[in-house]
Amino acid sequence: MPALRIENLKKSYGNVPVLKGINLAVENGDVVAVIGRSGSGKSTMLRCINGLEPFQEGTIEVVGHKLDQSRANLRELRKEVGMVFQSYNLFPHLSVAENITLAPRVVKGLPRDEGSALVREVLSRVGLAEKADAYPDELSGGQQQRVAIARSLAMKPKVMLFDEVTSALDPELTGEVLKTIAQLAEAGMTMVLVTHEMGFARRVATRTVFMHQGTVWEEGKSEEIFTHPKTPELKNFIAPDLK
Amino acid sequence: MIQSFGWQSVQFLFHGLVWTVGLSLCTFVGGGIFGLLFAIARSLGPNWLRALVAGYIQLVQATPLLIVVFLSYYGLSFLGFYFPPLAAAAISLTIYATAFLADIWRGCIEAIPRTQWEAADALALSPFQRLRYVILPQAFQISLGPTVGFMVQIVKNTSVTALIGFVELTRAGQLLNNMTFQPFHVFLTVAAMYFVVCYPLSWWSEKLKERKHAGTAH
């Protein structure tokens, strides 16, 4: 059974269709990069997966929790799906440790005395063990984004979604965040990444999905997609990276 | 029975001040409780509830407080609900404070970026948990300055209840003036007493607003 299965996902804003029937299955341990032009629907698709965007048709299934347009099961599904955003979205009024333990405590009933062990564990995975007591505004963008990844990891998700998580960072900070994601990939985390980092997609993602005009235009093994693009749209899109 | 302004007069006025402060506190607590509920309903409730609360806020904000006070005191007694001046004063000031605090706090709730709501959603927080742990604590921080500032308005506006015979500071001043015929002594003392209560609140409100602008979010 795939970790994540999207079937016939359709969404429109009024009369404007943005997703025209997406089908995608992500196996356990897969790292799927989603690439495509701005407006191709890739972020919208990602946001549908954990119900941040309502959709009109189709189903999304994560480890047995099935989500359709009725939005029943939404919280059950969200417990299994972590999400990291472009703008980090840490809670500014809470310390790093509190950001990390909030959801495990109130959603999963984590006892207070187990909190600090969890904080140490997830912070060490993103290389920020010493920052537990800092507040978000005391951290660099890259550090904030790694804390956001740690916060998401603390819920022990089966699938993690990354929505252009390095787009707001300079190249140096981008590097440290990508390194963290690559380590998660090596550790076997199932991930879907919407990204504009073509080199990273090619190197780290096991599969790459090219979205165009609200559909999955082309998909396959990352190496295959980047070296032998079949459709002219994909060829055009990655052309600058092939030079 | 003309008497001259003296220590006893100050004591008399002070007694009125105690009622002014007491009425202000009642108003703030009552207006605070309903204001919070209304603010949440206004920003998060179903459409019909939002419209209802918005209507309430607009209606009360567009009505002179004195009219609300007269309606609670004379109007309701005409309908057979007699409230003593203290109760009528507390009810009408609560109606008034609820409308303004609900509006102030709604603004604070809506000032929290959409992305914070989404981050809470993505972590599987329930709508109540999202409000309790993520939105309200942040809204609370930005609301402190304007809220304390509004307390000054409450204190000053308790004076309109003098017109239904509730003996707070202003009414005490009127009574004393009738006994002493020394309006400058009396009303300057009254004004000074309002100032002593209101100025620290204004000062505090400004401090809280500065802190917000300095960007210390914790």
Side-chain angles (χ1 to χ4, degrees):
Chain A
M1 190 178 83
L4 163 68
R5 190 205 301 272
I6 301 174
E7 275 177 349
N8 190 33
L9 177 65
K10 287 186 185 170
K11 176 180 175 67
S12 50
Y13 292 111
N15 290 328
V16 184
V18 281
L19 298 176
K20 303 171 184 167
I22 303 280
N23 289 290
L24 189 67
V26 179
E27 298 297 329
N28 256 317
D30 260 3
V31 178
V32 176
V34 182
I35 60 173
R37 285 190 187 81
S38 301
S40 60
K42 55 194 192 308
S43 274
T44 306
M45 179 194 76
L46 200 72
R47 290 163 58 83
C48 284
I49 294 175
N50 71 347
L52 286 182
E53 296 282 347
F55 48 88
Q56 283 85 29
E57 256 184 78
T59 56
I60 285 161
E61 193 175 342
V62 178
V63 292
H65 300 294
K66 207 166 199 170
L67 184 67
D68 58 21
Q69 72 270 25
S70 75
R71 294 169 80 75
N73 285 330
L74 184 58
R75 282 191 77 203
E76 292 311 309
L77 179 130
R78 280 176 174 165
K79 286 179 197 172
E80 311 289 351
V81 180
M83 178 138 187
V84 183
F85 300 88
Q86 180 178 344
S87 52
Y88 337 129
N89 303 359
L90 293 177
F91 304 132
H93 62 299
L94 300 178
S95 71
V96 166
E98 290 163 339
N99 262 282
I100 290 169
T101 53
L102 176 64
R105 258 195 319 113
V106 306
V107 176
K108 290 185 162 178
L110 177 83
R112 250 176 205 284
D113 52 335
E114 290 173 28
S116 57
L118 178 68
V119 169
R120 270 197 306 278
E121 181 204 324
V122 294
L123 278 185
S124 68
R125 287 181 75 179
V126 300
L128 287 173
E130 76 286 6
K131 294 291 186 191
D133 297 321
Y135 278 83
D137 64 1
E138 299 164 354
L139 303 174
S140 73
Q143 289 172 330
Q144 289 192 50
Q145 193 58 295
R146 283 146 70 198
V147 169
I149 293 171
R151 177 175 72 176
S152 192
L153 284 174
M155 287 294 278
K156 316 261 186 237
K158 301 286 193 305
V159 177
M160 281 185 80
L161 311 175
F162 294 82
D163 190 7
E164 296 188 31
V165 295
T166 58
S167 299
L169 300 172
D170 68 35
E172 188 184 357
L173 300 179
T174 296
E176 69 181 51
V177 171
L178 293 183
K179 200 177 113 195
T180 303
I181 298 173
Q183 282 164 355
L184 289 180
E186 273 169 44
M189 175 62 75
T190 309
M191 303 194 276
V192 181
L193 310 118
V194 168
T195 184
H196 289 296
E197 302 283 340
M198 294 303 144
F200 181 76
R202 187 171 181 171
R203 232 178 31 254
V204 175
T206 49
R207 285 169 57 212
T208 293
V209 170
F210 172 62
M211 284 188 67
H212 187 66
Q213 294 179 350
T215 61
V216 172
W217 200 260
E218 194 171 334
E219 65 162 316
K221 288 208 165 75
S222 298
E223 198 51 41
E224 199 67 14
I225 287 282
F226 283 102
T227 47
H228 304 292
K230 293 187 187 71
T231 58
E233 289 80 5
L234 178 56
K235 272 180 199 155
N236 273 334
F237 182 68
I238 60 175
D241 285 279
L242 293 178
K243 280 178 192 144
Chain B
M1 42 171 269
I2 292 178
Q3 59 179 70
S4 121
F5 190 85
W7 176 238
Q8 267 194 324
S9 318
V10 175
Q11 279 182 309
F12 181 70
L13 289 178
F14 185 80
H15 193 71
L17 177 65
V18 170
W19 280 106
T20 287
V21 171
L23 182 59
S24 301
L25 288 175
C26 287
T27 302
F28 185 69
V29 171
I33 293 169
F34 289 108
L36 180 62
L37 294 175
F38 280 37
I40 292 171
R42 176 76 180 86
S43 42
L44 303 171
N47 285 340
W48 63 268
L49 188 59
R50 289 185 199 207
L52 201 66
V53 174
Y56 170 85
I57 291 173
Q58 276 164 0
L59 188 67
V60 174
Q61 288 192 349
T63 310
L65 173 58
L66 187 56
I67 301 304
V68 180
V69 172
F70 281 165
L71 280 172
S72 319
Y73 187 62
Y74 299 116
L76 289 179
S77 71
F78 189 75
L79 294 177
F81 303 98
Y82 174 73
F83 291 108
L86 171 61
I91 290 170
S92 40
L93 279 163
T94 297
I95 290 172
Y96 151 83
T98 296
F100 280 88
L101 286 173
D103 213 19
I104 293 171
W105 292 343
R106 169 189 70 101
C108 295
I109 290 173
E110 290 177 358
I112 306 305
R114 211 61 232 167
T115 50
Q116 289 286 307
W117 302 73
E118 289 186 350
D121 281 342
L123 288 164
L125 268 63
S126 69
F128 173 77
Q129 290 167 340
R130 182 179 64 190
L131 199 60
R132 158 79 180 76
Y133 296 104
V134 177
I135 304 304
L136 288 185
Q138 295 185 63
F140 176 74
Q141 272 171 349
I142 53 177
S143 76
L144 282 174
T147 302
V148 173
F150 182 67
M151 286 170 80
V152 175
Q153 301 301 318
I154 293 179
V155 173
K156 290 193 294 187
N157 276 331
T158 53
S159 63
V160 305
T161 63
L163 277 103
I164 54 169
F166 178 62
V167 187
E168 39 64 71
L169 183 51
T170 297
R171 182 72 183 149
Q174 279 184 320
L175 294 174
L176 192 66
N177 184 47
N178 291 344
M179 291 187 277
T180 62
F181 293 111
Q182 289 176 290
F184 279 107
H185 290 74
V186 171
F187 289 114
L188 283 174
T189 310
V190 167
M193 285 181 167
Y194 276 115
F195 182 82
V196 165
V197 174
C198 292
Y199 180 72
L201 288 174
S202 294
W203 179 86
W204 189 27
S205 168
E206 286 307 312
K207 278 281 147 200
L208 289 166
K209 286 178 194 165
E210 275 170 33
R211 207 185 63 175
K212 187 185 76 189
H213 292 305
T216 46
H218 42 266

